[in-house]
Amino acid sequence: MSADELAAEGATALPDKEVMSLLDLNANLDLALDVAAPIDLAVAANANIAAPINASVGANVLSVGSTAGAQALQGAEISQGITGDAAATSDQTSGIDQGAEPADTAIPAPVPTPSDALDGDLLNVNVDLNGDLDIAAPINGAIAANANAAAPINAAVSANIGSIDSSAGAVSQQAAVINQDITGDATADATQDSTIDQQS
């Protein structure tokens, strides 16, 4: 190549390496969230519970010429009486005003020019997200109950395991007299009044 040919060549300077990147990501997130969940619950209950339990266990394990005996005797007389009212009243009044003003944070995008093709980053990503969310969930509940529960349990277990000339005996006797009486009312009242104003 001659000196004239070398002088006729042209060149374009590239940007400095430290100011050039492959990816330019700008994310602008603006979220406005209004959440309202007033909860009201009333519970009333009358309950009687009786559970006499009797158990007897006898066992011979890997024993020769042994005897295992189990005897369980149970006598239960249970009288349960409920006289009264179980009343649950739940009144809820909700006034909810959710007026979240959406934020105006939009940034106008620059207008590219043809000379910008070799200038700056290889990929520019701009994300603008404005989100306004209003949630209202008023919950109201009332529970009333009258209950009687009686569970007399009697058990006898006897076992011979791997034994020779052994005897196993189990005797279980149960006499249960249960009287349950409920006199009264179980009343559950739930009243809900909700005024919700959601402006997004």
Side-chain angles (χ1 to χ4, degrees):
M1 178 178 287
S2 65
D4 293 335
E5 291 175 344
L6 183 59
E9 293 293 326
T12 301
L14 294 175
D16 294 336
K17 184 177 180 181
E18 60 272 8
V19 298
M20 183 177 179
S21 65
L22 296 178
L23 176 62
D24 184 12
L25 175 62
N26 292 322
N28 187 6
L29 303 178
D30 186 7
L31 299 176
L33 180 64
D34 289 333
V35 178
I39 299 174
D40 191 11
L41 179 63
V43 178
N46 290 323
N48 283 325
I49 298 174
I53 299 173
N54 190 19
S56 179
V57 177
N60 286 322
V61 179
L62 299 177
S63 59
V64 178
S66 298
T67 301
Q71 184 178 10
L73 300 174
Q74 185 184 51
E77 184 176 354
I78 301 171
S79 296
Q80 291 179 330
I82 294 179
T83 302
D85 297 330
T89 302
S90 177
D91 295 328
Q92 185 184 52
T93 301
S94 301
I96 301 171
D97 185 8
Q98 293 175 330
E101 296 294 332
D104 188 11
T105 58
I107 301 173
V111 178
T113 62
S115 63
D116 293 335
L118 296 177
D119 188 17
D121 307 317
L122 294 181
L123 178 60
N124 291 319
V125 178
N126 291 320
V127 177
D128 292 327
L129 175 61
N130 292 326
D132 294 321
L133 182 60
D134 293 331
I135 299 175
I139 299 172
N140 191 19
I143 299 172
N146 287 324
N148 280 327
I153 298 172
N154 190 22
V157 177
S158 181
N160 286 319
I161 299 174
S163 60
I164 300 173
D165 295 331
S166 296
S167 297
V171 177
S172 177
Q173 294 179 356
Q174 185 184 50
V177 178
I178 300 171
N179 294 319
Q180 292 179 331
D181 186 13
I182 294 178
T183 302
D185 295 329
T187 304
D189 293 327
T191 302
Q192 185 182 52
D193 185 7
S194 298
T195 301
I196 301 173
D197 185 9
Q198 291 178 330
Q199 297 176 357
S200 59

